[in-house]
Amino acid sequence: MRCIITGGNVKVLGKAIHSLSRVGDELYVEPLQDGLSLRAVNTSRSAYACFLFAPLFFQQYQPGGQGSGSVAETVRCKVLMKSFLAVFRSLPSLEKTVEKCLISLSPRASRLRVQLHCKYGVTKTHDLSFQECESLQAVFDTEQCAHTLRALPRLLVDAVVHFPLTLAEVTLEVSQGGRVNFRSYVEEETEPSRMMVTELCLSEDEFQAFHVQQETRVTFCLKEFRGLLSFAESTSLPLSIHFDAPGRPAVFALEDSLLQVHLVLATLSEPDGSSQATNGTPCPFAPAYDFTGDDIDSYMIAMETTTCNDTGRTKQLPSPTFPLRCTSPNPGQTDSDQEGAVPGTPPQKKFRSLFFGSLLSQSQSLSHAEPSQEVLAEDSEGEA
């Protein structure tokens, strides 16, 4: 892979890295034919973000090996987020001094190289260690969401700025009457003397698009949402919010001819474990029962989502709901030893993740077309 970024697009890339750093500790880099994909997922798999930069975003873009453009030489890798973020730490400096950014990676390279060509002939070269990996995917479909809001990012930034930085979750509530409320989420066990609730009310007229089928509310993590808003405000692109009943994922999207951004956040389930219905029909993602008494490790799989056939070449399985990871070549390895499994018991908060399904063998997944089971996932880490 080889790509060259010039002008103000270097700062846009830097802001994207800052936004992704709010989500996960690792950055997944995948060069595709339709652009460079940068993705991140948090450790509990309840938040996923993807930035897809189109080829026109770059002055030069080669997804394959240098000089060949071959897709067969493409390498997917992941690097530590802190290492990549350090290259783009100072956004004002990027805008003032950097004229060109070169990112290169080849199958024979031991490092992901990022070169910053600055004014006065100064070149800063950063060689970052990486680990080859499979494609990071999340399954979602905005067309299935019953509710859609679209607004300029400035409106949403002005709304969330009133919430304290220590707030972990926020509740979005909408009604067919044109009311949109953002309210701080407070645990039921919180002492009344220590409780402070902030609520902002917006009207339908302030949104570019307002499609609400019924009154509903969803609760999601605020840290990742703030990170996306910061990036959206710098680009002035309208932000679309697609959501459904509580417990189903909320999708936040930015789209442009040069850039596509998706942030998928798990939402808090209803206290009784049931979700609201849309148009009187049961929610297709509603759990059949409560998983809190089960061994949750047996239901979790990694996000690296391809499986291997006998020839060693990877292929994507036609799972109708969830992709599956590559099965372990070591027959003695247990499910709990699989990379990406999240150990421990389910938390009290019931954030239901879109990114997990039951762990099936390749033959089982091909012979059964039934959707995978869902599991509970923790909310975002580091929310004090």
Side-chain angles (χ1 to χ4, degrees), residues 131-189:
Q131 178 181 354
E132 291 190 26
C133 63
E134 299 298 333
S135 180
L136 181 70
Q137 299 287 345
V139 179
F140 59 90
D141 185 5
T142 57
E143 297 296 330
Q144 294 183 359
C145 296
H147 316 295
T148 299
L149 303 176
R150 185 179 302 111
L152 292 175
R154 184 73 250 175
L155 173 67
L156 301 175
V157 169
D158 291 341
V160 303
V161 73
H162 298 283
F163 296 105
L165 295 178
T166 55
L167 182 65
E169 295 96 25
V170 66
T171 298
L172 169 63
E173 183 176 5
V174 296
S175 67
Q176 288 181 295
R179 187 185 74 253
V180 178
N181 287 352
F182 285 93
R183 183 174 63 255
S184 53
Y185 176 79
V186 181
E187 297 284 351
E188 295 180 357
E189 306 83 41

Side-chain angles (χ1 to χ4, degrees), residues 20 72 78 136 143 145 172 202 217 277 294 299 307 314 362 370 382:
L20 287 165
K78 59 181 178 181
L136 181 70
E143 297 296 330
C145 296
L172 169 63
L202 304 175
R217 63 176 180 273
D294 293 335
Y299 294 97
T307 61
T314 61
Q362 180 173 348
E370 298 174 358

